[in-house]
Amino acid sequence: MTVTKQEYAEMVKKASPNSKSWADIPKAFLIGGAICCVGQAFLNLYLNLGLSDKSAAACTTGTLVLISAILTGLGWYEKLAKHGGAGTLVPVTGFANAVVSPALEFKSEGFVLGLGAKIFIISGPVILYGTVASVIYGLVYYFFIK
């Protein structure tokens, strides 16, 4: 079966639901903001327990990653992401979800070829290109700005 680009575009248009930006954007803002408020609450808690600023920030990040991983394992993070869209992707919780989801999906293929090989299938490019960009930025800064 040969399909032209125009025919394929029509098929995609029919199969894809229309985005309701007027509803999706506020929901993403509210849910992403709620995640950030939970993070701020944990930060305040850790600061009130006497941790230093750096330690409280590290504990907050770890707590949010742990909560996100647990919610992903229970299947609840995906339900939240259906409503929150990009609001669930931006915070560190979205990154944790991107690591845990493939781990759960490919665990049946074994620890080496499944879990080990595919755990970073979603987040791997982010780690790779983020690291490469930071090295390039560091070299530019070192040789041209400093």
Side-chain angles (χ1 to χ4, degrees), residues 3-132:
V3 179
T4 66
K5 288 183 181 182
Q6 187 177 17
E7 291 172 334
Y8 181 75
E10 286 295 320
M11 290 169 48
V12 169
K13 190 174 183 180
K14 286 180 183 177
S16 301
N18 291 333
S19 176
K20 298 175 186 126
S21 296
W22 57 270
D24 293 343
I25 293 171
K27 285 196 299 187
F29 175 78
L30 291 173
I31 290 177
I35 291 170
C36 292
C37 286
V38 169
Q40 186 64 47
F42 276 111
L43 180 65
N44 292 345
L45 172 70
Y46 292 134
L47 288 171
N48 287 333
L49 292 175
L51 273 67
S52 69
D53 289 348
K54 286 185 178 184
S55 295
C59 287
T60 300
T61 303
T63 302
L64 290 174
V65 167
L66 178 65
I67 290 170
S68 175
I70 291 170
L71 292 177
T72 299
L74 295 172
W76 297 350
Y77 201 88
E78 182 180 347
K79 291 176 184 176
L80 181 67
K82 278 185 180 179
H83 298 287
T88 59
L89 297 176
V90 175
V92 69
T93 55
F95 184 77
N97 175 262
V99 173
V100 174
S101 293
L104 293 172
E105 185 177 344
F106 296 110
K107 70 180 180 182
S108 63
E109 295 179 22
F111 285 110
V112 176
L113 297 177
L115 184 69
K118 297 181 181 174
I119 192 168
F120 294 111
I121 200 165
I122 296 172
S123 59
V126 175
I127 296 169
L128 171 69
Y129 292 114
T131 303
V132 169

